Amino acid sequence: MYKRLRSGSRKMRVALFLCFSVLVIPILIAVGPATAEEESPAGDTLVSAERLDSLTAFQIARPVTNARAEDNPDDGGGAALIKWDHSPDDHEAGTVTTYIVYRSESPDSLFVEVGDVPKGVFELIDGNTVDGRTYFYKVVPVAGPGAPEQALLAMLNAADLTDPVSSSAQWFDFRRINVFVGTMLLSFLIIFMIIRAKSGKELFIRKIAGMEAVDEAVGRATEMGRKIFFVPGINDMDNVQTIAGITILGRVAELAAQYETWLEVPVCRSLVLVTAKEVVREAYAKAGRPEAFQENQVHYLTDDQFGYAAAIDGMVVREKPATIFYMGAFFAESLILAETGNATGAIQIAGTAMPSQLPFFVASCDYTLIGEELFAASAYLSKEPKLLGSLKGQDMGKAVILFAIIAGIILETFGIWSLSSLFTVIE
């Protein structure tokens, strides 16, 4: 009995030893090396194998050569162009992955990073310079992200310094010389046609239905013994549509003076008031009836958009004019004005270059000058050589562009030549 108990105890101790060997020894093996790597006998931190590999890879990235900087050409200033020759380690199997560019205002002061480019790219534009201030640059090739700061600093100190450079604005952007040539061509066509108009040559302009109806509309008001309203839009004299509308007003006022019909011009801007009053006064003088002009023909209402529209609507409803002109820039009030005039039975002629308002005028008015017809109408009615020449010159410019589009489609469709390259930024 004693022998069996002693033999069982021995077996239990052997089993416990085997369990201890299986569970504890691997843990000691796993923990042991890590503990040894964390601290050296001297107490310094050791690096892992991966960390050591990254350090080695970084340190073998050899520096760039021939680093240089210059004012970025063909710009408005505020930029410098930095170029360099590639590092010997920048190739397909090389270690360089990025070039970092640093900048300083003095060779001895702190350099700060201004940007980076990937391998295979050997220039960078620093777009944050101050014109007239001198800068120095250094280019550092690195072997990957997470490069150690100390090694990066060592590379920065060893990098070649560029010559000093300062940025400035250029007079011309030669990459867009094609735009300059196009502008000169269009200017030449306009000046050429103005000279022809001033010399007495007759320039053909197709008839505009809305302008052909001006005489009819004024005559109708004369026959009915009612007023003519002329609304020059709600913008000031700095808007080209208002200028075109005031030009048309001169022709309408001249006809009204000849037919002895009352013309009323309600405006919403002070400068428009002064200009329109002088135009109407001159038209009456031109018609030989300066005494018929009255100051209250052109009067101010309000600067408020819908207050102006409401005031005109009230006048139209009360006075029921025979003819209403809407010539200029209009916005949300266009349909309110045109519908009220239409409800009173007035003949309405509108003209605007506001695309969103054109459908309302087309639906509510008898005649509508669409877009550029408004500007063409001012030249059509005034017969002013400068306006006629400008109109014809622009038409010729459009013809040149149309020809270029057709020629480009044909040439590129058959693969003969890429004509579109003439209209892109020249590199």
Side-chain angles (χ1 to χ4, degrees):
M1 181 67 179
Y2 172 74
K3 287 183 179 179
R4 284 202 299 270
L5 291 173
R6 189 174 180 182
S7 176
S9 176
R10 187 181 300 114
K11 291 179 180 178
M12 184 175 293
R13 286 199 296 271
V14 172
L16 290 173
F17 175 77
L18 291 176
C19 291
F20 176 83
S21 301
V22 172
L23 297 176
V24 177
I25 290 177
I27 296 175
L28 294 176
I29 293 173
V31 174
T35 306
E37 192 180 62
E38 285 180 357
E39 293 186 359
S40 67
D44 297 331
T45 301
L46 296 179
V47 295
S48 64
E50 295 179 353
R51 183 73 166 166
L52 186 61
D53 289 343
S54 67
L55 270 175
T56 305
F58 176 78
Q59 289 169 350
I60 64 173
R62 284 169 286 182
V64 303
T65 58
N66 194 24
R68 54 204 183 274
E70 61 186 44
D71 179 25
N72 190 44
D74 302 322
D75 66 359
L81 176 63
I82 302 95
K83 296 182 178 179
W84 58 90
D85 294 342
H86 66 86
S87 165
D89 296 314
D90 184 359
H91 50 82
E92 186 175 355
T95 56
V96 173
T97 59
T98 308
Y99 292 99
I100 303 177
V101 178
Y102 293 85
R103 183 185 74 184
S104 175
E105 296 184 20
S106 170
D108 301 324
S109 61
L110 178 66
F111 278 78
V112 296
E113 181 179 339
V114 295
D116 60 76
V117 293
K119 62 181 292 186
V121 179
F122 310 117
E123 66 177 35
L124 180 141
I125 296 176
D126 177 13
N128 294 313
T129 63
V130 177
D131 290 348
R133 188 173 296 178
T134 302
Y135 296 98
F136 298 85
Y137 291 91
K138 288 185 177 182
V139 182
V140 175
V142 296
E149 186 175 348
Q150 291 182 345
L152 194 62
L153 182 60
M155 289 290 292
L156 179 61
N157 292 332
D160 291 336
L161 192 68
T162 66
D163 292 332
V165 63
S166 60
S167 60
S168 62
Q170 279 75 53
W171 284 96
F172 299 101
D173 184 354
F174 287 98
R175 297 172 302 174
R176 290 177 171 78
I177 193 69
N178 48 6
V179 178
F180 176 75
V181 172
T183 304
M184 295 302 296
L185 175 62
L186 182 60
S187 301
F188 169 77
L189 293 174
I190 291 175
I191 294 173
F192 175 72
M193 297 309 298
I194 290 176
I195 293 174
R196 282 180 60 88
K198 284 186 174 180
S199 65
K201 299 287 184 181
E202 185 174 355
L203 302 180
F204 171 76
I205 298 178
R206 68 174 176 83
K207 292 184 177 180
I208 301 174
M211 290 299 96
E212 290 292 311
V214 169
D215 289 356
E216 175 193 346
V218 176
R220 180 172 182 267
T222 305
E223 292 175 356
M224 297 177 69
R226 293 182 182 175
K227 291 182 177 180
I228 300 172
F229 273 14
F230 191 101
V231 183
I234 65 169
N235 271 359
D236 215 330
M237 287 306 299
D238 59 347
N239 188 290
V240 66
Q241 297 180 65
T242 307
I243 297 174
I246 293 296
T247 305
I248 296 172
L249 170 63
R251 173 60 180 168
V252 174
E254 187 176 348
L255 287 174
Q258 291 174 356
Y259 295 163
E260 299 183 7
T261 304
W262 181 256
L263 172 67
E264 188 163 344
V265 186
V267 302
C268 64
R269 304 288 176 181
S270 56
L271 285 179
V272 177
L273 171 68
V274 175
T275 308
K277 191 170 288 187
E278 290 303 315
V279 167
V280 174
R281 188 198 310 276
E282 182 180 344
Y284 272 69
K286 190 175 180 180
R289 301 189 67 247
E291 74 285 354
F293 172 73
Q294 298 184 24
E295 292 286 339
N296 60 353
Q297 281 186 259
V298 184
H299 56 91
Y300 171 81
L301 292 176
T302 175
D303 275 28
D304 183 75
Q305 178 185 8
F306 292 104
Y308 179 65
I312 293 178
D313 282 350
M315 294 163 60
V316 169
V317 171
R318 289 191 301 272
E319 303 175 20
K320 292 186 171 44
T323 304
I324 304 176
F325 291 91
Y326 306 103
M327 297 288 173
F330 293 88
F331 297 88
E333 76 286 351
S334 60
L335 186 59
I336 300 172
L337 295 172
E339 272 300 303
T340 304
N342 185 48
T344 61
I347 181 172
Q348 299 188 109
I349 302 176
T352 186
M354 306 298 290
S356 57
Q357 306 305 321
L358 282 171
F360 303 132
F361 281 140
V362 171
S364 304
C365 298
D366 299 278
Y367 299 96
T368 303
L369 305 180
I370 300 174
E372 291 187 345
E373 286 186 344
L374 173 64
F375 310 113
S378 60
Y380 183 84
L381 291 176
S382 65
K383 305 298 182 185
E384 169 66 29
K386 291 181 181 177
L387 295 177
L388 286 174
S390 299
L391 184 64
K392 292 296 293 183
Q394 292 176 49
D395 286 345
M396 294 182 70
K398 294 172 186 173
V400 171
I401 294 173
L402 183 61
F403 173 78
I405 292 174
I406 296 174
I409 292 173
I410 295 174
L411 292 175
E412 299 212 21
T413 299
F414 292 99
I416 300 173
W417 184 49
S418 178
L419 185 65
S420 60
S421 61
L422 296 178
F423 300 92
T424 58
V425 177
I426 300 172
E427 298 294 342

